[in-house]
Amino acid sequence: KNLSSTSASASSSRERKVPTSLVALRGPLAHSLLPELSEDLKKMLLPHTLSNLRTRRSNTLKDFVQVTGPLGVSHMVLLSATSAASYMRIVRTPHGPTVTFKIESYALTRDVVSVQRRPRAPSHAFTHPPLVVLHGFKTKPEDEDGEAVSLASVTLQNMFPAIDVRSARLHECRRVLCCSYDRETKR
């Protein structure tokens, strides 16, 4: 009896260390312009995201912050849109930091699938987190925005669980998240 309770508490402590995310839309324009992007982001962040959490237009940022603790959320991805541009904020809960990205263009999953000759979407692909590949995020000391780039790099890495190369199974590696940064264009 004691063995089962201690093993359950040990497994729950391991589960708490896995980063969990919440994706939400903020602002009146975001609900009309970005709902499909929101669903695609939830799918990309699977299995460690609150994909069934439904939000309302009336939800405030305070509502989201209040549920992060009880639900074990470590990161919030907030999508917002203005008449000028769309933005994605990644917030580390409970005390920050917050990284804001301007969305210049994006392709939805349905757009990519419509171009493919033989689209594949195995159901077991979303049972394990994606591999994170960061390109161009290494900064030089003379870079003026080096701190911001390194903060973005660390935030993107910490949104997903760390992979132990020695114990990782190759059949679990089904998806890749590629993030690239170009120093010349600063994009």
Side-chain angles (χ1 to χ4, degrees):
K1 198 170 189 181
N2 289 338
L3 179 62
S4 63
S5 66
T6 55
S7 66
S9 65
S11 67
S12 67
S13 69
R14 266 187 257 123
E15 287 293 313
R16 276 189 231 129
K17 292 181 182 177
V18 174
T20 306
S21 58
L22 173 141
V23 179
L25 296 170
R26 300 277 303 131
L29 285 177
H31 287 279
S32 61
L33 298 175
L34 303 172
E36 290 181 81
L37 180 61
S38 167
E39 292 302 314
D40 283 353
L41 277 173
K42 286 179 186 179
K43 199 168 184 180
M44 180 201 58
L45 294 168
L46 282 174
H48 304 294
T49 189
L50 303 177
S51 59
N52 294 330
L53 183 70
R54 299 291 172 225
T55 60
R56 298 183 186 143
R57 290 179 189 237
S58 61
N59 288 121
T60 62
L61 187 58
K62 185 176 181 181
D63 296 335
F64 295 124
V65 171
Q66 286 178 345
V67 299
T68 57
L71 295 177
V73 173
S74 61
H75 292 84
M76 288 192 303
V77 179
L78 304 173
L79 296 171
S80 61
T82 64
S83 58
S86 300
Y87 300 94
M88 178 177 72
R89 286 192 182 102
I90 301 175
V91 181
R92 173 82 166 115
T93 59
H95 300 293
T98 301
V99 181
T100 304
F101 298 96
K102 182 178 179 181
I103 301 172
E104 293 185 0
S105 65
Y106 60 91
L108 298 172
T109 302
R110 66 177 164 88
D111 299 331
V112 175
V113 167
S114 69
V115 173
Q116 292 177 336
R117 282 188 186 167
R118 283 177 257 141
R120 290 187 55 217
S123 60
H124 60 276
F126 298 100
T127 57
H128 300 286
L131 301 174
V132 180
V133 177
L134 301 176
H135 175 263
F137 281 88
K138 195 168 191 163
T139 59
K140 296 178 182 176
E142 62 269 5
D143 286 346
E144 62 204 34
D145 57 340
E147 248 182 71
V149 172
S150 64
L151 178 64
S153 166
V154 169
T155 302
L156 289 169
Q157 285 175 347
N158 290 338
M159 284 184 66
F160 300 94
I163 296 173
D164 184 14
V165 177
R166 286 181 235 107
S167 65
R169 297 184 197 135
L170 193 58
H171 74 275
E172 293 175 356
C173 304
R174 298 275 181 186
R175 301 179 294 143
V176 177
L177 170 65
C178 297
C179 300
S180 180
Y181 176 72
D182 186 12
R183 281 194 206 104
E184 277 77 41
T185 62
K186 297 191 179 192
R187 293 179 183 189

